[in-house]
Amino acid sequence: MSLALDDRDRACLDGEHGPAMRLAMRLVLKAAGILGARELIPVSFAHIDACFYSGEAHVDFAQYLLDHGAKLSIPAWTNNGVVSLTDPDIRPETSDPQMVKGARKLMQLYEKLGCRPVWTCAPYQLPGGPQFGDQIVAGESNAVSFYNAVIGARTNKYGDYLDVACALIGKAPYAGLHRDEGRRGRLLIRTEAVPDDWKAENIFYHLLGHHVGKLSGQAIPVITGLPPQETADSLKALAAAAASAGGVEMWHAVGVTPEAATKDDAFQGHAPERVFEVTPHSLAQARRDLTSAKDGPLDMVALGTPHFSLTEFERLVPLVTGRKAKPGLALYVSTSRHIRDEAAKRGWIAELEAFGATVIADTCTYYSPAVRQCRGRIMTNAAKWAYYAPGMLGVEVCFGSLSECVESAVRGEVWRDPQLWANGL
Amino acid sequence: MIRARILHGGEARGRVLALDAPLSFWGAFDPRSGEIIDIHHPQCGSCITGTILMMRETRGSGTAPGGMAEAIRLGTAPSAIILVKPDINLAIGAEVAETLFGKTCPVLAVTAADYAELARHAALAISGDGKITPLQRDSFPD
């Protein structure tokens, strides 16, 4: 099977644009070959994950590109780094000097390459990003899930190096979720049996996302029974939790997400392969899955996975105003530098700092060296954080709602909202 | 002799390490030591360096190409990897490492039936055109 290449593709492959562009073209063609794609399609945006340090090979790759004439063809925004470039004290050199040095160097190399240094896992919360129907490239699992499902932009889950290669060439293999038929729903997940008042709570979407991820694996689920959403925050929670618990890259919520005006649209006229009914019991099970510790004294609270949005700050600030977290307890809120600046303009960062919170930008608390030393019992309102932290940080996690997290931070021990849990969740 | 689909080509020889569960090349394996470190993996503690590593599929991680390239750079990678389900990440990592470091690790895909046949052997040789041939184990002492 041969793949159609245009003159520029061929020139890149022949090395006429330098060794970096030749390597990029070879990577794109290798992926196309494995996917069985017959053509490459233009992409208009990339969210780069290869700027996340995982060893010196990552640094060598970026340096090779810079030294050998690499040029981006499309806007490319950066995912979180391992360290924060804006906050020197969030990158303590003593914790793992080689990793911190390598991570910082890698981030600087991608800036030099021309990437827009947004350093966020939630690039869709920034203005000027992809729109419905755009063909794009993303690798961060929650961003892939959100762009596909909530925005209706089209991307496969791109691994490191291939993401950069596509951004350099400006094209991607036309396969999988880039194609109409690749976006067809397969599983029907009904939430009609869940009480409506639960669906008004943000925590419901974290739990539902976790449950949907477990049910779906990599198949495309279609969720019915969800109400219209005022903000994207709950859909972000669902997108992230389904991606981390199951590898979901695309999903539909009928009447809510843009490719699912009707159930028939979501299934593209086919019948579901399997049907699942979500019950209060399955959500309670998801909550147990996400909690590895018994309730008790608390050492830290972690909010903002994926990165906190402006509307989430708006929800958090009234909960902390005039109060103080227990002295010695660390409360981190992770966000992007853009959203942090916006929140600071509104006076919200000062209010959070008065409460005792630290708002960190550019990175995430579940792998940042800033929290590597943190041990003990940690509470979070993020299903994705709760899923990864026990393995990555070796800590015990209690999962709860945003208001439970704040109240627990004040008390210094895990507090459960009797209203929220009274009806069996 | 079995002919494989080449995801990333090259020659290799080595003893077979057939995994009982998929392995992620990021997080579940330490490129500094070549050991499987995921405590949930049935072969946790095994060293994959220099082996013909067989697994039906990988565990997906977007950072896997980095783990693969880093292992090749450090010399802790397998001699070759044989899969059933083709994997882009390992092939991309191998291609990058070959360009940057001049060292590589062939990645091949075979049918489920061929996989079962190959996994019975103690050692295998892989040629540049994707042919896989059994070898005597004595040529590769542990």
Side-chain angles (χ1 to χ4, degrees):
Chain A
M1 181 169 53
S2 71
L3 190 92
L5 297 182
D6 67 18
D7 290 345
R8 179 170 174 272
D9 298 340
R10 224 167 281 117
C12 285
L13 194 58
D14 293 343
E16 287 173 32
H17 296 285
M21 299 303 273
R22 180 173 56 204
L23 174 59
M25 195 67 211
R26 288 172 67 143
L27 296 180
V28 173
L29 290 179
K30 182 173 280 289
I34 294 172
L35 287 165
R38 292 202 196 132
E39 57 182 311
L40 305 178
I41 42 150
V43 285
S44 58
F45 170 90
H47 183 234
I48 301 294
D49 197 40
C51 53
F52 177 88
Y53 180 85
S54 71
E56 284 303 299
H58 263 45
V59 180
D60 294 342
F61 176 72
Q63 187 72 58
Y64 179 90
L65 296 181
L66 261 181
D67 292 347
H68 292 85
K71 257 189 86 174
L72 290 168
S73 292
I74 55 173
W77 296 7
T78 51
N79 194 3
N80 290 353
V82 170
V83 298
S84 173
L85 293 181
T86 53
D87 305 313
D89 53 339
I90 307 289
R91 45 180 156 94
E93 318 287 319
T94 48
S95 63
D96 187 341
Q98 199 201 344
M99 184 183 80
V100 172
K101 195 163 152 255
R104 191 165 59 235
K105 185 174 178 201
L106 183 65
M107 292 168 80
Q108 287 161 348
L109 287 172
Y110 278 100
E111 286 200 34
K112 281 189 200 157
L113 201 60
C115 291
R116 184 173 163 208
V118 297
W119 310 119
T120 180
C121 56
Y124 44 80
Q125 292 175 169
L126 273 48
Q131 303 294 312
F132 179 82
D134 289 351
Q135 297 284 2
I136 66 166
V137 163
E140 153 63 40
S141 66
N142 99 82
V144 169
S145 173
F146 190 94
Y147 275 132
N148 275 317
V150 183
I151 306 282
R154 300 181 169 209
T155 179
N156 287 320
K157 188 174 186 300
Y158 287 86
D160 290 358
Y161 309 143
L162 182 58
D163 54 355
V164 184
C166 291
L168 294 174
I169 301 300
K171 290 185 177 182
Y174 190 38
L177 292 167
H178 288 293
R179 301 172 66 95
D180 289 343
E181 59 271 31
R183 303 172 71 78
R184 182 182 131 194
R186 301 284 171 161
L187 313 175
L188 176 61
I189 300 184
R190 294 170 40 85
T191 69
E192 281 78 354
V194 178
D196 284 345
D197 54 340
W198 289 23
K199 294 176 185 169
E201 300 286 343
N202 177 257
I203 190 172
F204 163 75
Y205 296 86
H206 288 271
L207 297 174
L208 177 66
H210 180 80
H211 183 57
V212 164
K214 291 273 179 200
L215 290 176
S216 308
Q218 287 177 307
I220 299 178
V222 177
I223 306 164
T224 60
L226 297 186
Q229 299 290 314
E230 279 171 31
T231 71
D233 296 329
S234 290
L235 298 177
K236 173 178 79 169
L238 203 170
S244 54
V248 171
E249 297 171 11
M250 171 65 182
W251 49 277
H252 301 277
V254 173
V256 176
T257 58
E259 290 168 60
T262 66
K263 206 169 89 182
D264 220 31
D265 286 349
F267 285 104
Q268 295 183 12
H270 293 76
E273 290 165 10
R274 295 183 69 184
V275 180
F276 299 94
E277 200 76 44
V278 179
T279 62
H281 172 79
S282 34
L283 296 170
Q285 181 58 47
R287 187 171 81 98
R288 281 194 294 274
D289 277 1
L290 292 169
T291 296
S292 65
K294 287 202 173 73
D295 291 357
L298 202 56
D299 300 285
M300 182 178 135
V301 172
L303 306 175
T305 303
H307 275 172
F308 237 43
S309 70
L310 207 55
T311 44
E312 285 174 307
F313 276 112
E314 195 176 12
R315 216 151 49 85
L316 174 61
V317 168
L319 298 176
V320 305
T321 302
R323 312 183 78 190
K324 289 247 182 250
K326 189 175 181 196
L329 181 140
L331 191 155
Y332 288 105
V333 187
S334 308
T335 189
S336 63
R337 44 175 80 178
H338 174 86
I339 300 284
R340 187 169 68 173
D341 289 348
E342 289 295 316
K345 276 188 218 157
R346 291 159 174 80
W348 295 346
I349 302 298
E351 292 220 40
L352 283 163
E353 284 172 352
F355 177 74
T358 306
V359 180
I360 68 172
D362 294 356
T363 186
C364 179
T365 43
Y366 74 71
Y367 46 69
S368 168
V371 294
R372 280 279 163 90
Q373 284 83 4
C374 198
R375 286 288 170 268
R377 186 181 283 110
I378 304 187
M379 194 165 187
T380 183
N381 75 327
K384 177 169 176 168
W385 204 95
Y387 186 83
Y388 282 121
M392 295 187 83
L393 294 172
V395 296
E396 299 244 57
V397 176
C398 289
F399 175 75
S401 72
L402 187 65
S403 55
E404 287 177 326
C405 285
V406 172
E407 189 60 35
S408 301
V410 171
R411 294 173 183 229
E413 63 181 341
V414 176
W415 174 80
R416 296 296 183 185
D417 179 354
Q419 291 299 107
L420 188 61
W421 305 113
N423 47 6
L425 184 58
Chain B
M1 188 271 288
I2 281 167
R3 190 176 285 276
R5 178 176 172 196
I6 299 173
L7 307 181
H8 186 76
E11 292 180 4
R13 293 158 71 84
R15 69 181 175 83
V16 169
L17 174 61
L19 297 185
D20 300 326
L23 179 71
S24 164
F25 263 66
W26 190 68
F29 150 80
D30 184 355
R32 288 167 298 188
S33 65
E35 279 177 20
I36 297 174
I37 54 168
D38 177 359
I39 53 165
H40 304 294
H41 197 282
Q43 281 135 311
C44 183
S46 296
C47 181
I48 67 173
T49 304
T51 64
I52 305 286
L53 186 69
M54 296 188 64
M55 55 179 153
R56 287 183 176 80
E57 58 183 325
T58 58
R59 272 200 65 199
S61 162
T63 313
M68 178 75 166
E70 184 73 349
I72 295 172
R73 182 182 81 88
L74 294 171
T76 60
S79 291
I81 299 174
I82 300 175
L83 306 163
V84 174
K85 190 177 170 198
D87 182 86
I88 292 178
N89 286 331
L90 296 181
I92 293 285
E95 177 87 38
V96 166
E98 185 163 326
T99 306
L100 266 57
F101 313 122
K103 297 189 275 190
T104 196
C105 169
V107 184
L108 306 170
V110 296
T111 64
D114 285 347
Y115 183 95
E117 162 61 23
L118 290 171
R120 292 175 42 235
H121 296 283
L124 296 170
I126 293 168
S127 67
D129 60 358
K131 273 185 238 154
I132 308 176
T133 1
L135 294 173
Q136 292 305 312
R137 189 189 177 86
D138 353 340
S139 44
F140 294 94
D142 287 328

